[in-house]
Amino acid sequence: MSDQRPKVTPRRTKSDDVVSITQLREGWTHHFPKVFIGLAVLMALSTALMFSGLGTAPDLEDQRQRRDVVANAAGTEIRRNQLDEGMGQFASNVVDPRERLRIEGSMLQSYIDQAIKVDAARKAGITVTDEELDKEVQKLYKETADRQFAGLSPSDRARYEKQLQGYLEEREDEIRNSLLVKKWEDSLKNQVKVDDPKTKPEDIEVRARHILIPVKDPKAPPPPKNAPANTIPLPDAEAKAKAEKVLKEAKQPKADFAALAKKYSSDTGSAERGGDLDWFGKGQMVPEFDKTVYSMKPGEIAGPVKTQFGYHIIKLEDRRIGDAVKARLVDEHMKKARKTATVKVNDEVLEGMRLLNEAEQVADKPKERDRLHREALKHFEAARKEDQGNPGIVAMVGEVKKRLYNYGDKKDKKLRDEAIKELETAVKLTPAPRLRTDLAMLYEDAGKRQEALDQLKKASENAFTDKSVRYELKSGFERLGEKQLAQEQQKLLEMDMQQMQQGNFNFPGGAPGGAPVPVTPGG
């Protein structure tokens, strides 16, 4: 009866500094949780590319250009090749030209934030010793080698390990900064104490063990004949008496609570771990359990506690400040640090994306959001003058005008019509499905039903496995009264889901040319 348990959620010194890949990944995961991988794996993948010869060395002039500084944040230079290196994971999966710019913008913001954190850590007097750096490098080396080079011949493994070592040595500044920032963040997180009277229960996580004695439900089917004795529900009085007996046994000197949980608890899932429920927060357990465990002190044993699952004997192991609270503290300090940090972006497009990112952070302040959108638009328009054939830049001009129209108190139809023209041009350059659905919505707003319908139909031809686009298409067809077309989208979504469940991720018919269908992150 492993399903009969409380409601638990499982835990989840050089001047030309280079920002940390580890922290970059952490910043990105908020936007692209399924795309990013750990530092060790990222290094291994990059190493594999070097080993395999899949990449060719660019000429010296190209190398110089790709090293160009695109931004300077808190004294740290951020170079084009850093963005290109991160972008390599996504290049083949990005269909909407705006999405590449969004990803680059997110990467740049992560680099900027990392530089600000490094600066804040140094100002706080935090340092990383050479011994700490060496220990971390060796840890990454071992994790990567064990994971990526297992099964290779001794000669191949030795060759790859030597190149991996060189790769890590080249990135010692990144690793040092990662450790530096971690120390800084930990110093902030440690400012909140569990025993501080000002600390709220909601800010505390607890770790507990429990022993569950099940109570018989007259409506429930009888247990299997071969069910273990401790999992068979008992009448209420018997269950309570047994729980009291177990409680008394658990409170005996030198009693082993974990062993008792394995012996008596019907919650087989946690019983195998000695009744361990891992860390959980306020409100994640059923109310009776939650109230009791949050009133206990570490090491204390309480019970029997009656819940819908039966009678519980609870042992509180430990308490700590929750991760969400720690993250909030870091965010608060970062907001202050950003206001005083000197940040200069030398690339018009990236500065436009940075301003859009800021606009998203002030969605509750319409005037400030409008100002940031208009500032971003100036940079995108300046970039377009230099590169008129770039579909991403053209699309972003249309995107910002669309936002200004949608968010404006007074609907400026001139902005809408200008957005339509920009997206029409972008679609001619790159007919991405999401560009077409956005254009269709603007057509619909302008009363151009047939144009909207045409764009939706064309978008459907190339949407493949992009479920978010399929849902947009279904919604769009429904708004236009095209029920049959909307039903077709629903069928395609259901078919796609079935294929995914079967492990076949290609959409019926495959991608153009028989290539695997790309899954586009976020658009």
Side-chain angles (χ1 to χ4, degrees), residues 232-249:
I232 298 175
L234 302 172
D236 191 288
E238 290 184 35
K240 184 177 181 181
K242 183 178 180 180
E244 289 173 344
K245 177 179 175 295
V246 174
L247 174 63
K248 185 177 180 180
E249 191 173 345

Side-chain angles (χ1 to χ4, degrees), residues 228-429:
N230 62 313
T231 65
I232 298 175
L234 302 172
D236 191 288
E238 290 184 35
K240 184 177 181 181
K242 183 178 180 180
E244 289 173 344
K245 177 179 175 295
V246 174
L247 174 63
K248 185 177 180 180
E249 191 173 345
K251 286 188 173 183
Q252 292 298 312
K254 298 183 180 180
D256 186 339
F257 194 95
L260 293 174
K262 292 179 180 179
K263 180 180 179 180
Y264 291 114
S265 184
S266 70
D267 180 7
T268 55
S270 67
E272 293 174 357
R273 304 186 300 272
D276 187 9
L277 295 171
D278 211 330
W279 292 96
F280 56 90
K282 183 71 174 171
Q284 288 184 263
M285 294 293 187
V286 290
E288 303 89 345
F289 193 105
D290 184 86
K291 181 180 179 180
T292 300
V293 78
Y294 268 85
S295 68
M296 298 169 65
K297 296 179 181 179
E300 185 178 353
I301 297 174
V305 178
K306 177 73 179 295
T307 74
Q308 67 200 64
F309 302 102
Y311 287 95
H312 305 261
I313 294 92
I314 305 169
K315 181 180 181 182
L316 180 62
E317 294 286 351
D318 202 359
R319 302 192 302 166
R320 71 181 184 188
I321 297 299
D323 291 339
V325 180
K326 295 177 181 179
R328 188 179 71 217
L329 282 172
V330 174
D331 287 343
E332 289 173 356
H333 279 78
M334 274 301 294
K335 286 179 181 178
K336 295 177 182 178
R338 287 190 189 105
K339 290 180 180 179
T340 58
T342 301
V343 177
K344 179 174 175 56
V345 180
N346 305 319
D347 183 282
E348 295 284 7
V349 175
L350 289 174
E351 175 63 1
M353 297 308 301
R354 188 184 73 82
L355 291 168
L356 282 186
N357 182 65
E358 284 191 20
E360 291 175 0
Q361 306 305 313
V362 293
D364 57 336
K365 300 176 181 178
K367 289 184 179 180
E368 178 66 7
R369 179 180 60 189
D370 183 83
R371 182 189 70 78
L372 290 167
H373 278 152
R374 293 184 184 279
E375 285 294 320
L377 181 60
K378 291 179 183 178
H379 289 282
F380 289 128
E381 289 181 329
R384 185 178 56 179
K385 290 179 181 179
E386 299 296 325
D387 190 359
Q388 296 184 7
N390 188 310
I393 298 174
V394 175
M396 286 312 302
V397 172
E399 169 73 20
V400 179
K401 289 184 176 181
K402 176 170 71 75
R403 293 189 188 189
L404 286 168
Y405 171 70
N406 288 336
Y407 295 144
D409 292 333
K410 297 180 180 179
K411 296 293 185 180
D412 186 344
K413 294 182 179 180
K414 181 181 177 183
L415 275 173
R416 180 198 63 198
D417 294 342
E418 289 176 357
I420 288 175
K421 290 182 180 179
E422 301 292 354
L423 291 184
E424 285 175 339
T425 302
V427 165
K428 290 178 182 177
L429 293 169

Side-chain angles (χ1 to χ4, degrees), residues 94-102 389-400 402 419-444 451-452 454-460 462-463 466 468-470 472-473 520 522-523:
V94 176
V95 177
D96 187 333
R98 295 170 298 181
E99 191 60 28
R100 180 185 180 93
L101 300 184
R102 291 189 186 109
N390 188 310
I393 298 174
V394 175
M396 286 312 302
V397 172
E399 169 73 20
V400 179
K402 176 170 71 75
I420 288 175
K421 290 182 180 179
E422 301 292 354
L423 291 184
E424 285 175 339
T425 302
V427 165
K428 290 178 182 177
L429 293 169
T430 302
R434 193 174 294 279
L435 278 176
R436 290 191 181 279
T437 58
D438 284 355
L439 179 56
M441 290 184 71
L442 289 172
Y443 277 145
E444 185 182 344
E451 288 88 339
D454 290 344
Q455 289 300 325
L456 292 178
K457 288 180 178 179
K458 291 177 180 177
S460 179
N462 298 301
D466 193 330
S468 61
V469 171
R470 289 285 174 197
E472 285 186 18
L473 288 168
T520 307

